[in-house]
Amino acid sequence: MKYSCLVLLLLTADSAFGRQHHTVGEKKAAIVQGLGRVHHSVSARNPRAQRFFDQGLAYIYAFNHEEAERSFKRAAELDPLLAMAWWGVALAVGPNYNLDVDPDREKQAYDATQRALSLSSKAPENERAYIEALAKRYTNDPNADLKKLAADYKNAMAALAKRY
């Protein structure tokens, strides 16, 4: 456990303290050992896609959103029908504790959510619910009330937590 925490700390610190950033599309994600045991079962048809999805969640929890995005995109590559992979991308590029919303990331998150929605018709009910909840958070309207969108998402997630 101590080793896992140290690895997460180092990965997060590396990102936060001046590591040379690269364009997300330049480097594919690789499975990294020592991130802890994070698992949320999704309808991945490819076991490696599930592993990359879980790794993306581990990176989200470690506030390493760039690596999370890369892992979720790798899951989508391995399973092109996995709507939850695009849900993960949207979650990773959206606002978070350390990064407020900005127009470019809002557009990326909106686009990823729309992609997840377009794939969700064949997803299980719980996955559709996650995607629909996150869809309340993002918009392509430049004049939208972002605080209201955040509150709508919070309320949708509260209902989802109660339901599942």
Side-chain angles (χ1 to χ4, degrees), residues 148-161:
K148 182 186 178 320
L149 291 174
D152 290 346
Y153 171 63
K154 175 192 72 95
N155 293 334
M157 286 305 294
L160 195 64

Side-chain angles (χ1 to χ4, degrees), residues 35-46:
L35 294 178
R37 291 190 182 128
V38 175
H39 178 69
H40 182 83
S41 186
V42 292
S43 59
R45 291 157 186 81
N46 180 321

Side-chain angles (χ1 to χ4, degrees), residues 3-148:
Y3 178 74
S4 295
C5 290
L6 177 60
V7 169
L8 285 175
L9 176 65
L10 291 173
L11 288 170
T12 305
D14 183 39
S15 176
F17 295 112
R19 173 175 57 93
Q20 228 14 53
H21 291 287
H22 51 271
T23 305
V24 170
E26 290 179 8
K27 179 182 161 191
K28 277 190 181 179
I31 294 296
V32 175
Q33 300 301 315
L35 294 178
R37 291 190 182 128
V38 175
H39 178 69
H40 182 83
S41 186
V42 292
S43 59
R45 291 157 186 81
N46 180 321
R48 290 192 66 221
Q50 177 68 61
R51 286 190 68 196
F52 277 103
F53 181 87
D54 290 341
Q55 180 170 284
L57 285 180
Y59 278 128
I60 288 281
Y61 299 149
F63 297 97
N64 191 334
H65 292 84
E66 286 181 16
E67 291 299 329
E69 178 187 4
R70 199 175 350 275
S71 291
F72 289 126
K73 282 185 174 179
R74 184 68 176 122
E77 237 177 73
L78 292 166
D79 187 344
L81 299 178
L82 182 59
M84 285 296 285
W86 291 103
W87 169 90
V89 171
L91 189 65
V93 300
N96 62 69
Y97 184 79
N98 293 316
L99 185 63
D100 209 0
V101 67
D102 72 56
D104 182 52
R105 292 176 71 88
E106 177 75 11
K107 181 181 178 348
Q108 289 176 50
Y110 175 80
D111 291 346
T113 304
Q114 294 307 301
R115 195 151 178 193
L117 283 167
S118 74
L119 294 170
S120 69
S121 65
K122 294 181 181 162
E125 180 183 339
N126 65 323
E127 293 180 24
R128 286 194 313 271
Y130 274 97
I131 293 164
E132 289 164 7
L134 193 58
K136 294 180 184 305
R137 186 178 198 185
Y138 305 120
T139 183
N140 62 354
D141 177 1
N143 300 313
D145 180 347
L146 298 179
K147 289 186 186 231
K148 182 186 178 320

